Amino acid sequence: YDSSKTAIGIILECDDDTGAPEKILSHKMGAVCAWATAWGATNNCGTETDDGEDNLGKIQVADSSFNIADYPVFKSAQDLGAHGLGASWEPWYVPASEDFLKIKLNYEKITAALDKFGSMSGLVDFSQEFWTSSESGNTTAYKVSVDGGAYNRSSSAKTESYNAVFMTEICD
């Protein structure tokens, strides 16, 4: 970790051919918040379990009166703002439930990288449960824990509050 530069996260996935970074996991946690402010806000609009980047768009289409403030975990990602990587990178997004499998598979490397940040405040704490961008029903969404390299996914009411963590990736 080069303290003269502004860290934005940990490389989670690289291109198989070039080795260039493709996905970045934010090293800081978002606010503890609800997935949605109302029961069944999206009526299970078909969010994916394997594509967090597209899930907010599906919610926007399904909710005819969409307001980002009604979806606190997604607003938290939006509030991270520009990450300084330039126009070739997508905005921050809430990972889908299966995106957390990549975290599980690389758990030891990720936690070792987090250790290099030292005592920086707000670092991701994998002993917590995190919202995913994947719905599990009209009034529920998936939350995930990857503590110790395990992968535990369960449903919770969208109005409950859990932690948030975010990803970004290079534009195709």
Side-chain angles (χ1 to χ4, degrees):
Y1 168 63
D2 182 346
S3 61
S4 69
K5 297 184 179 183
T6 302
I8 64 145
I10 299 162
I11 297 170
L12 186 60
E13 187 176 297
C14 292
D15 182 274
D16 289 335
D17 296 325
T18 66
E22 285 188 325
K23 288 192 178 189
I24 303 284
L25 173 70
S26 173
H27 66 294
K28 293 206 168 198
M29 290 201 327
V32 174
C33 59
W35 197 95
T37 58
W39 286 96
T42 57
N43 282 333
N44 198 9
C45 66
T47 55
E48 301 290 331
T49 58
D50 63 349
D51 193 351
E53 186 180 14
D54 288 343
N55 282 343
L56 179 58
K58 290 182 181 207
I59 293 165
Q60 289 170 319
V61 169
D63 184 348
S64 60
S65 60
F66 178 80
N67 179 340
I68 192 74
D70 294 335
Y71 300 90
V73 73
F74 297 94
K75 182 165 184 348
S76 189
Q78 184 183 62
D79 288 348
L80 281 178
H83 38 55
L85 293 175
S88 62
W89 287 84
E90 296 288 345
W92 292 105
Y93 62 90
V94 180
S97 61
E98 291 181 19
D99 285 327
F100 281 90
L101 287 172
K102 292 178 185 86
I103 296 169
K104 173 197 178 285
L105 293 172
N106 295 292
Y107 180 81
E108 290 188 18
K109 290 178 185 174
I110 292 168
T111 54
L114 285 169
D115 287 345
K116 293 182 189 241
F117 287 102
S119 61
M120 184 184 289
S121 66
L123 290 176
V124 171
D125 176 1
F126 286 122
S127 69
Q128 305 297 313
E129 292 179 303
F130 296 93
W131 275 125
T132 75
S133 60
S134 307
E135 291 174 293
S136 54
N138 287 349
T139 61
T140 58
Y142 288 117
K143 63 181 178 178
V144 170
S145 168
V146 292
D147 191 24
Y151 175 80
N152 299 304
R153 181 179 83 170
S154 60
S155 294
S156 188
K158 292 177 183 176
T159 55
E160 295 291 320
S161 291
Y162 293 100
N163 291 285
V165 68
F166 310 106
M167 294 173 71
T168 187
E169 57 190 66
I170 198 159
C171 299
D172 293 330

